[in-house]
Amino acid sequence: MQHSEMLWPEGGRVMISSARPDDPHFTMPVGGAMLYVVTDEPDAVHARAEAEGVTFTRPMEDSDYGSRGFSILDPEGNSWSFGTYAG
């Protein structure tokens, strides 16, 4: 099992755990999640991800609805998008 915590520059924390077959509350198929994280600093987050050698599935881009962001895959195949769109 893997566990990580990310402290976010704008405050707060994101905690993530890989699937845990021994606990029914934390069981889901590997690669079964799509997450979106709002950030005021997508370029800085992108630079850190690039430095770590992550797999990008969507390059940094400006959308027609005013967001700036990108998407990556984590080691278990979950999709993470980071951008300025806050809903």
Side-chain angles (χ1 to χ4, degrees):
M1 182 192 76
Q2 298 293 319
H3 173 86
S4 69
E5 295 184 17
M6 294 184 291
L7 299 178
W8 210 241
E10 292 92 31
R13 177 182 310 227
V14 177
M15 294 184 280
I16 304 151
S17 174
S18 57
R20 294 175 48 192
D22 60 319
D23 186 336
H25 295 101
F26 293 97
T27 301
M28 71 180 309
V30 172
M34 296 179 71
L35 304 111
Y36 182 81
V37 180
V38 177
T39 177
D40 290 337
E41 300 180 20
D43 293 286
V45 176
H46 183 276
R48 287 185 66 189
E50 192 169 44
E52 292 295 324
V54 303
T55 300
F56 288 89
T57 57
R58 182 174 58 98
M60 177 65 80
E61 62 186 8
D62 295 313
S63 71
D64 59 353
Y65 52 88
S67 183
R68 179 165 176 77
F70 64 97
S71 299
I72 63 172
L73 290 179
D74 72 15
E76 291 186 345
N78 298 298
S79 175
W80 289 79
S81 294
F82 298 84
T84 58
Y85 180 74

